[in-house]
Amino acid sequence: MLDKNDYPTPQRVKVANEQEHLTQTHEFKPGWSFYLVLAGVTTTFGSSLPVGFNIGVVNSPAEIIKTFCNESFISRYDLPLDKTWLNVLWSSIVSIFIVGGCTGSILGSCFADKFGRKYATIITNLLSIAGAILFLFCRAANSVEMLVLGRLLVGLAGGLTTSIVPMYLTELSPPRLSGAMGVACPLGVNAGVLVGQVMGLDVILGGVDNWPYLLSVFALLVIISLPILFILPESPKYLFVVKRNEPAAIKELSRLRGEIPSVLTEDLELLREEVRAEASTSGEKWGMWRVAREPKLRLPLLLACTMQAGQQTSGINAVFYYSQTIFEQAGLSARAAQLATVGCGSVNVCTALAMLALLPRAGRRAPLLASAAAAALLLAALALAMAYIDAMPWMPYVCMSAVILYVLVFGFGLGPIPYFIASELFEVSSRAGGMAWGSLCNWGGNFLVGMSFPTLREFLGAGSFLLFSALTAALFFFQRLYFPETKGKTPTQVAQLCSRGLKSRPLNSRHQGDA
């Protein structure tokens, strides 16, 4: 006998019909939801921002920390360091961060698939906190070793972050928002560099006695974000495709979208499409080495790796290094030049914010190519202007304009797109390996430029920017030939376009994005 609640009232019939209509016509279009926004904000401030912070924060207190290192060696080992050995030690403190980044990139693939995207991010944050604790107490312990170990740990966390977080965010987002969510990680990194520059000013934490607090202050954001990470949903794509746990994937997808499973047909069909594509390959796990050996993934891997390495070999860090000198030669005081350099960092952050709105409309290919072409031309102009900076009274202003314009065009393509593009070039099963290779190339490019630039600057002077210009131009031509527009396409469709390696002609495809 039916209970009165089982009879189909007009209201229940209407709700059922609406759900059936949504399911049959695919009218439900997933968009911004509470958990999606929360994931973007939490990882941007708690994971990505500390990476940029630790990249940029060591420049301001460099001489103060060198003094601490020398005094520590004298008091503990009775071994004063001359200028040469002090510079070697400082170079080690700086470069060990990049070594940690490369190591974290390699481990990112394993962590993402073994622990899941969310819990791998939590592990990353714990490493950041451990590094900050070492920074905070290294002076009290009179230990240079704690300082070096702290730099290694935050570098390790940085490599894991750039390998895992963009993948996690793009897997959480619906296809039409993957570009906006992909920008979140580079936005956080750029903001972190800016925050590090600002916090290093004398009036804030740049004083002689404040450097342990300056190096460790980023941990406040990490600690605040850590409990929030635990309530975020795991990537439904990871659960569905990698773990093959369909009930858990649907549950997390429903929580993420804020809708009942019956209306999530578009998301579920995309998941099943990736499972079908994965079923056509062997059951072997997709580690980094398998990704590198797979002929069908050769072109996506080359695109991701050249883009990530090219971001660094475009000379962005070298331009920032020279910027203060250029501003001083343009007539600014040392303090004003420092503030102008901070202003360049602000331009970088503002362009990243603009890309949140621009990328879903402009796609990936056009902004990247325009950015690379303009950056190559501006680097060449900067090299020529710096070579003749004393020839004309207005030449320093040409240099200053070239720096500002370069930072601007870098932020509209070369800055944000390489960080997340592997998540759109690789299917879920091979994505962790592809992201890890891309992140490794980014950190490797950073290391290469950092180690070679002082020598290049000594022997070539301003001509070193011509080398950066040539490398950026080479990146432009390669990407122009092979990089397909990924906007509006599923990773499976992109994989098919690039499946023949360098023989592929992805631009001949008639698939057009609409999202």
Side-chain angles (χ1 to χ4, degrees):
M1 186 173 180
L2 292 175
D3 184 79
K4 64 179 181 179
N5 292 327
D6 295 327
Y7 287 102
T9 65
Q11 184 178 5
R12 291 196 185 97
V13 170
K14 180 180 179 182
V15 170
N17 288 340
E18 287 177 350
Q19 290 179 356
E20 182 180 2
H21 179 69
L22 284 169
T23 303
Q24 292 176 351
T25 63
H26 293 238
E27 281 189 6
F28 173 72
K29 295 292 183 182
W32 295 107
S33 65
F34 171 76
Y35 280 112
L36 185 61
V37 174
L38 185 64
V41 172
T42 302
T43 56
T44 297
F45 286 98
S47 300
S48 304
L49 189 147
V51 178
F53 183 89
N54 284 297
I55 290 172
V57 75
V58 294
N59 293 329
S60 296
E63 295 303 319
I64 300 172
I65 297 177
K66 285 181 184 179
T67 301
F68 159 74
C69 292
N70 195 23
E71 292 174 351
S72 176
F73 268 69
I74 292 172
S75 63
R76 293 178 61 199
Y77 307 115
D78 194 24
L79 181 64
L81 300 175
D82 60 22
K83 184 178 180 180
T84 300
W85 282 107
L86 195 58
N87 285 334
V88 169
L89 177 59
W90 178 248
S91 296
S92 300
I93 292 172
V94 173
S95 61
I96 197 70
F97 174 77
I98 303 177
V99 172
C102 292
T103 306
S105 298
I106 295 172
L107 294 175
S109 172
C110 176
F111 277 41
D113 282 345
K114 182 175 180 61
F115 301 110
R117 287 29 169 170
K118 180 178 84 168
Y119 286 102
T121 304
I122 291 171
I123 293 171
T124 297
N125 282 25
L126 292 174
L127 289 171
S128 291
I129 293 172
I133 292 172
L134 290 171
F135 291 150
L136 186 61
F137 294 106
C138 65
R139 184 178 62 183
N142 196 26
S143 173
V144 176
E145 294 84 354
M146 288 176 66
L147 176 62
V148 173
L149 181 58
R151 288 287 292 174
L152 178 64
L153 288 179
V154 295
L156 186 63
L160 287 168
T161 296
T162 55
S163 180
I164 295 167
V165 168
M167 172 170 50
Y168 177 48
L169 294 180
T170 53
E171 288 184 0
L172 289 180
S173 65
R176 67 190 184 89
L177 297 178
S178 63
M181 289 298 284
V183 174
C185 182
L187 171 62
V189 173
N190 291 340
V193 172
L194 177 61
V195 171
Q197 292 172 338
V198 172
M199 298 297 286
L201 295 174
D202 293 341
V203 294
I204 305 181
L205 288 177
V208 175
D209 298 324
N210 294 330
W211 66 265
Y213 310 113
L214 173 63
L215 296 185
S216 58
V217 69
F218 73 90
L220 294 175
L221 287 174
V222 183
I223 292 170
I224 292 171
S225 71
L226 191 58
I228 303 176
L229 284 173
F230 281 95
I231 67 172
L232 293 177
E234 179 56 274
S235 164
K237 291 184 178 181
Y238 164 75
L239 294 171
F240 200 99
V241 180
V242 178
K243 303 302 289 184
R244 300 299 174 90
N245 189 342
E246 185 171 337
I250 293 175
K251 179 181 177 182
E252 291 292 78
L253 181 62
S254 177
R255 189 161 73 98
L256 174 64
R257 299 286 185 256
E259 296 287 345
I260 59 175
S262 62
V263 302
L264 300 175
T265 51
E266 180 180 321
D267 281 304
L268 292 173
E269 181 55 36
L270 288 174
L271 292 176
R272 294 187 178 108
E273 180 183 342
E274 297 223 28
V275 169
R276 288 193 293 268
E278 169 66 10
S280 64
T281 64
S282 63
E284 182 186 351
K285 288 187 177 180
W286 284 94
M288 287 182 69
W289 298 117
R290 186 185 175 193
V291 169
R293 295 194 311 266
E294 177 58 51
K296 291 183 178 180
L297 298 180
R298 193 157 295 150
L299 182 55
L301 188 61
L302 284 172
L303 289 169
C305 289
T306 56
M307 212 181 291
Q308 287 268 39
Q311 182 196 70
Q312 296 299 321
T313 57
S314 68
I316 182 65
N317 292 327
V319 169
F320 270 110
Y321 180 90
Y322 256 118
S323 60
Q324 185 159 340
T325 301
I326 292 171
F327 293 143
E328 287 178 3
Q329 287 183 302
L332 299 180
S333 65
R335 181 66 178 275
Q338 185 182 25
L339 292 175
T341 301
V342 171
C344 286
S346 301
V347 170
N348 218 8
V349 173
C350 290
T351 53
L353 285 170
M355 291 301 284
L356 287 171
L358 180 63
L359 269 182
R361 295 175 173 84
R364 324 297 187 247
R365 178 178 163 83
L368 178 80
L369 294 180
S371 175
L377 293 173
L378 286 166
L379 285 166
L382 178 61
L384 293 174
M386 287 185 64
Y388 297 98
I389 195 167
D390 296 322
M392 301 288 181
W394 43 265
M395 197 60 76
Y397 298 99
V398 175
C399 293
M400 189 162 59
S401 300
V403 168
I404 295 171
L405 286 174
Y406 169 80
V407 172
L408 182 66
V409 301
F410 178 89
F412 277 113
L414 281 172
I417 294 174
Y419 276 105
F420 70 87
I421 198 61
S423 65
E424 298 186 343
L425 293 172
F426 291 88
E427 295 171 279
V428 174
S429 55
S430 57
R431 185 172 295 155
M435 292 290 295
W437 277 114
S439 179
L440 178 61
C441 288
N442 188 287
W443 286 93
N446 192 339
F447 182 78
L448 178 65
V449 172
M451 295 301 291
S452 63
F453 181 62
T455 304
L456 290 173
R457 186 185 65 207
E458 181 178 351
F459 286 98
L460 299 178
S464 57
F465 288 102
L466 287 176
L467 178 59
F468 294 137
S469 175
L471 291 171
T472 306
L475 174 69
F476 166 80
F477 286 113
F478 180 76
Q479 297 291 336
R480 184 176 183 272
L481 184 60
Y482 288 110
F483 179 41
E485 178 54 70
T486 59
K487 168 178 166 278
K489 297 184 181 73
T490 67
T492 302
Q493 292 171 333
V494 175
Q496 291 172 351
L497 294 176
C498 301
S499 61
R500 298 178 62 239
L502 293 177
K503 294 181 180 178
S504 303
R505 291 296 178 265
L507 302 186
N508 294 336
S509 168
R510 294 185 179 181
H511 295 290
Q512 297 296 327
D514 58 1

PDB file of all heavy atoms in Angstrom, residues 163 193 293 323 423:
ATOM      1  N   SER A 163      53.882  21.033 -10.071  1.00  0.00           N
ATOM      2  CA  SER A 163      53.556  19.795 -10.773  1.00  0.00           C
ATOM      3  C   SER A 163      52.131  19.343 -10.502  1.00  0.00           C
ATOM      4  O   SER A 163      51.469  18.792 -11.385  1.00  0.00           O
ATOM      5  CB  SER A 163      54.538  18.692 -10.356  1.00  0.00           C
ATOM      6  OG  SER A 163      54.256  17.473 -11.006  1.00  0.00           O
ATOM      7  N   VAL A 193      56.032  36.431  -5.532  1.00  0.00           N
ATOM      8  CA  VAL A 193      57.249  37.193  -5.826  1.00  0.00           C
ATOM      9  C   VAL A 193      57.072  38.645  -5.408  1.00  0.00           C
ATOM     10  O   VAL A 193      57.962  39.243  -4.774  1.00  0.00           O
ATOM     11  CB  VAL A 193      57.594  37.104  -7.325  1.00  0.00           C
ATOM     12  CG1 VAL A 193      58.745  38.044  -7.663  1.00  0.00           C
ATOM     13  CG2 VAL A 193      57.950  35.672  -7.714  1.00  0.00           C
ATOM     14  N   ARG A 293      58.583   7.541 -23.166  1.00  0.00           N
ATOM     15  CA  ARG A 293      58.818   6.514 -24.187  1.00  0.00           C
ATOM     16  C   ARG A 293      57.676   6.367 -25.174  1.00  0.00           C
ATOM     17  O   ARG A 293      57.856   5.807 -26.253  1.00  0.00           O
ATOM     18  CB  ARG A 293      59.044   5.149 -23.519  1.00  0.00           C
ATOM     19  CG  ARG A 293      60.297   5.044 -22.672  1.00  0.00           C
ATOM     20  CD  ARG A 293      60.613   3.587 -22.352  1.00  0.00           C
ATOM     21  NE  ARG A 293      59.463   2.862 -21.844  1.00  0.00           N
ATOM     22  CZ  ARG A 293      59.182   2.710 -20.553  1.00  0.00           C
ATOM     23  NH1 ARG A 293      59.964   3.275 -19.646  1.00  0.00           N
ATOM     24  NH2 ARG A 293      58.130   2.022 -20.167  1.00  0.00           N
ATOM     25  N   SER A 323      66.600  45.263 -13.774  1.00  0.00           N
ATOM     26  CA  SER A 323      65.628  46.360 -13.770  1.00  0.00           C
ATOM     27  C   SER A 323      66.025  47.490 -12.826  1.00  0.00           C
ATOM     28  O   SER A 323      65.908  48.672 -13.179  1.00  0.00           O
ATOM     29  CB  SER A 323      64.232  45.832 -13.403  1.00  0.00           C
ATOM     30  OG  SER A 323      64.233  45.239 -12.113  1.00  0.00           O
ATOM     31  N   SER A 423      48.018  19.925 -18.556  1.00  0.00           N
ATOM     32  CA  SER A 423      46.748  19.348 -18.111  1.00  0.00           C
ATOM     33  C   SER A 423      45.720  19.329 -19.229  1.00  0.00           C
ATOM     34  O   SER A 423      44.726  18.597 -19.145  1.00  0.00           O
ATOM     35  CB  SER A 423      46.198  20.112 -16.905  1.00  0.00           C
ATOM     36  OG  SER A 423      45.864  21.440 -17.264  1.00  0.00           O
TER      37      SER A 423
END
